[in-house]
Amino acid sequence: MLGRVNHIAIAVPDLAAAISAYRDTLGAVVSAAQALPEHGVTVVFVELPNTKVELLEPLGEGSPITAFLEKSPAGGMHHICYEVADLLAARDQLVASGARVLGNGDPKIGAHGKPVLFLHPKDFFGTLIELEQV
Ligand SMILES: CC[C@@H](C(=O)O)C(=O)SCCNC(=O)CCNC(=O)[C@H](O)C(C)(C)COP(=O)(O)OP(=O)(O)OC[C@H]1O[C@@H](n2cnc3c(N)ncnc32)[C@H](O)[C@@H]1OP(=O)(O)O
Ligand SMILES: [Co+2]
């Protein structure tokens, strides 16, 4: 089911400060910010030779990462995104195995313009998993 790690996501309280840390302190290439109201976040991607780091901050009321940042005010590792060849088949297989798919179970379009789904962290050892169709 699982392909490459598409990205590792870090939730941050201040995206501008995080961009500066990665671009200026770590010398990384950082993409332009994308405001994604349908996801309740603003994100940038740190481009790396073998994967990406997604830096995300809450956008608007009811952001799904607000509670996470209340528990971890300095920020923290938020999710890992794996690529899958067939997201709907993966979803159906996971649901059949008892895993919880978040939201209403229908994919949303993610930051890369591809369908994504999330799996409950409690089902995968305290780690929020995002699956992205490639
Ligand atoms: C940019 C678009 C897209 C992309 O293309 O890359 C994205 O990445 S969007 C990223 C933001 N969107 C999401 O994260 C959507 C999925 N997330 C959710 O639906 C919620 O965050 C959640 C996972 C259901 C948690 O919501 P929360 O309000 O925190 O609910 P709880 O407080 O009830 O949490 C339940 C339980 O889970 C623990 N938790 C929460 N978040 C995480 C996490 N990121 N990693 C690990 N564990 C997490 C939380 O601490 C609770 O644990 P207990 O306190 O022990 O019950
Ligand atoms: Co993501």
Side-chain angles (χ1 to χ4, degrees):
M1 178 186 294
L2 300 182
R4 293 172 58 247
V5 172
N6 181 276
H7 60 271
I8 306 284
I10 302 173
V12 299
D14 178 346
L15 189 57
I19 291 168
S20 172
Y22 270 82
R23 187 187 53 214
D24 306 332
T25 308
L26 293 171
V29 175
V30 183
S31 73
Q34 287 174 266
L36 298 167
E38 67 279 13
H39 288 276
V41 295
T42 301
V43 303
V44 297
F45 283 93
V46 177
E47 303 294 337
L48 300 165
N50 64 332
T51 188
K52 300 179 187 70
V53 166
E54 181 182 72
L55 303 173
L56 59 159
E57 74 173 3
L59 174 64
E61 296 298 314
S63 170
I65 69 170
T66 298
F68 180 91
L69 285 168
E70 283 165 357
K71 287 180 184 159
S72 305
M77 298 275 278
H78 186 261
H79 63 269
I80 183 168
C81 180
Y82 299 107
E83 294 178 354
V84 295
D86 184 336
L87 186 60
L88 295 181
R91 177 199 58 190
D92 295 347
Q93 188 179 327
L94 286 158
V95 169
S97 68
R100 286 169 284 181
V101 175
L102 296 173
N104 66 5
D106 292 333
K108 279 187 180 177
I109 299 303
H112 300 126
K114 304 281 184 61
V116 299
L117 279 173
F118 287 88
L119 307 180
H120 202 288
K122 293 295 184 194
D123 295 340
F124 294 96
F125 315 104
T127 302
L128 179 62
I129 290 178
E130 178 181 7
L131 301 178
E132 179 172 323
Q133 166 89 31
V134 290

